[in-house]
Amino acid sequence: MKRSILKVAAGLFAAALLLLGAPAYGAPTPSPKPSPSPVVRSITISGESLSAPITLRSDQHPKEFGAMITEVDWLASRPGVTKSPAADKLGPKFTVVTALNDVDKQTYDIYPQAVGGPRVFRPAAQPDKRKVAAGWFIGRLTMESSLRQAGVPLGTAEAGQGGGKGGGLPGSGAAEPDIQAMVGDWQRFVGLNGAVVVVIALGVFAIAYAFRRTV
């Protein structure tokens, strides 16, 4: 009797070991989790002077993409800071569209050779359907060089054009930049009024005068 009980117990113990040591028959093998898709950003540049749009991808053209994305990415939600420039002072227009994994997100019109410095226009209608107000911005001074680095051909200013076809760079015969408009735009951009500018200027002159007296 005892031997029978021992044999049954030994059989149950062996079966338990088999169940614990091997997967159940017919159980599906868990599949490995797929790796997350890489995040790829891109920017597409189009314009009348381009025979075909230029597309820069963060995974294929990191240097060129990095230079171009810094020209517009900071304008995604900021309010406009300058009034609309005169059309004959804007120079050549290029449209840039940023995308995330081939899904368009933002679009801007840029004018790298506008009289008085680069300008950017952000349309109210954006590809990602977000709500923003249309606005004009003062562009970064590196805009022209970033476009050239991306492969955009930009000519120099032509005599008498003053920001028309070919750009707005001052040169022989070219119209002089509108300095007064530039100063007004920059005052609005940094949020300083005329009185604050005068106070800062007086402070600088006072420091310079005191320093000169001590030398």
Side-chain angles (χ1 to χ4, degrees), residues 6 19-20 32 76 79 105 113 116 118:
L6 290 175
L19 290 174
L20 291 174
K105 294 295 183 181
Q113 295 179 325

Side-chain angles (χ1 to χ4, degrees), residues 3-187:
R3 291 183 178 180
S4 299
I5 294 175
L6 290 175
K7 288 182 179 180
V8 172
L12 293 175
F13 182 72
L17 290 178
L18 290 175
L19 290 174
L20 291 174
Y25 179 76
T29 303
S31 57
K33 294 182 179 180
S35 57
S37 301
V39 176
V40 177
R41 300 188 67 189
S42 61
I43 187 167
T44 300
I45 310 166
S46 59
E48 293 182 358
S49 62
L50 297 176
S51 58
I54 297 174
T55 299
L56 305 173
R57 292 170 55 92
S58 60
D59 59 340
Q60 297 178 2
H61 321 89
K63 184 177 180 180
E64 295 82 357
F65 169 82
M68 277 305 306
I69 200 66
T70 57
E71 303 295 340
V72 295
D73 221 21
W74 58 281
L75 303 173
S77 58
R78 296 193 179 190
V81 298
T82 182
K83 62 182 180 180
S84 174
D88 61 345
K89 293 185 178 181
L90 285 173
K93 166 188 171 183
F94 298 91
T95 298
V96 297
V97 178
T98 68
L100 178 64
N101 290 338
D102 297 324
V103 178
D104 293 345
K105 294 295 183 181
Q106 304 169 27
T107 182
Y108 302 94
D109 296 330
I110 61 176
Y111 303 85
Q113 295 179 325
V115 171
R119 292 291 189 272
V120 181
F121 175 70
R122 182 188 62 203
Q126 291 291 313
D128 60 0
K129 308 300 181 183
R130 59 193 170 91
K131 294 182 179 180
V132 294
W136 283 92
F137 301 86
I138 300 170
R140 291 162 55 97
L141 297 178
T142 55
M143 184 183 295
E144 186 173 350
S145 62
S146 295
L147 285 167
R148 293 183 188 277
Q149 185 177 347
V152 176
L154 292 172
T156 57
E158 297 177 3
Q161 291 294 330
K165 182 179 180 181
L169 298 175
S172 176
E176 293 295 328
D178 191 346
I179 302 299
Q180 185 175 0
M182 290 176 61
V183 173
D185 288 343
W186 277 108
Q187 285 179 347

